[in-house]
């Protein structure tokens, strides 16, 4: 089932991003640093909680993203757009979803 690959990959990829954010955090004791540590622990817990509750009430978490495609489905292969040159070296993709 390929349906699990995207959230698993995004969760895996979020760890280095969180680690970098923690390094950039001004203080180990800051509220932001505490949140990032807590979130990282949930992502690496190996637990899944499907309940619709705040993350602070969950034992585990995964990362994901929400997107809406112009055609209204999840088949991103059906997305079509065309980038047009605006000025040298830059292009505009119109108002369509752009990957």
């Amino acid at each position: 089932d390929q349906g699990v690959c995207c959230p698993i990959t995004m969760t895996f990829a979020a760890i280095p991003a969180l680690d970098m954010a923690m390094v950039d955090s001004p203080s180990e004791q800051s509220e932001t640093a505490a949140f990032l540590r807590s979130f990282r622990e949930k992502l690496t817990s190996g637990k899944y909680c499907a309940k619709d509750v705040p993350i602070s009430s969950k034992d585990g978490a995964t990362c994901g993203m929400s997107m809406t495609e112009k055609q209204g489905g999840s088949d991103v292969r059906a997305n079509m757009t065309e980038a047009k040159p605006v000025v040298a070296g830059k292009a505009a993709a119109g108002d369509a979803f752009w990957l």
Side-chain angles (χ1 to χ4, degrees), residues 39-62:
F39 193 51
R40 188 187 193 289
E41 288 172 14
K42 291 176 188 296
L43 292 176
T44 58
S45 72
K47 298 177 182 173
Y48 179 74
C49 178
K51 294 182 206 169
D52 186 14
V53 295
I55 194 163
S56 58
S57 300
K58 294 181 177 238
D59 293 327
T62 56

Side-chain angles (χ1 to χ4, degrees), residues 1 21 23-24 26 34 37 41-42 47 49 55 71-72 76 81 85 92 98:
D1 177 14
V23 166
D24 293 340
R37 279 192 304 276
E41 288 172 14
K42 291 176 188 296
K47 298 177 182 173
C49 178
I55 194 163
Q71 82 283 357
V76 294
T81 192
W98 181 253

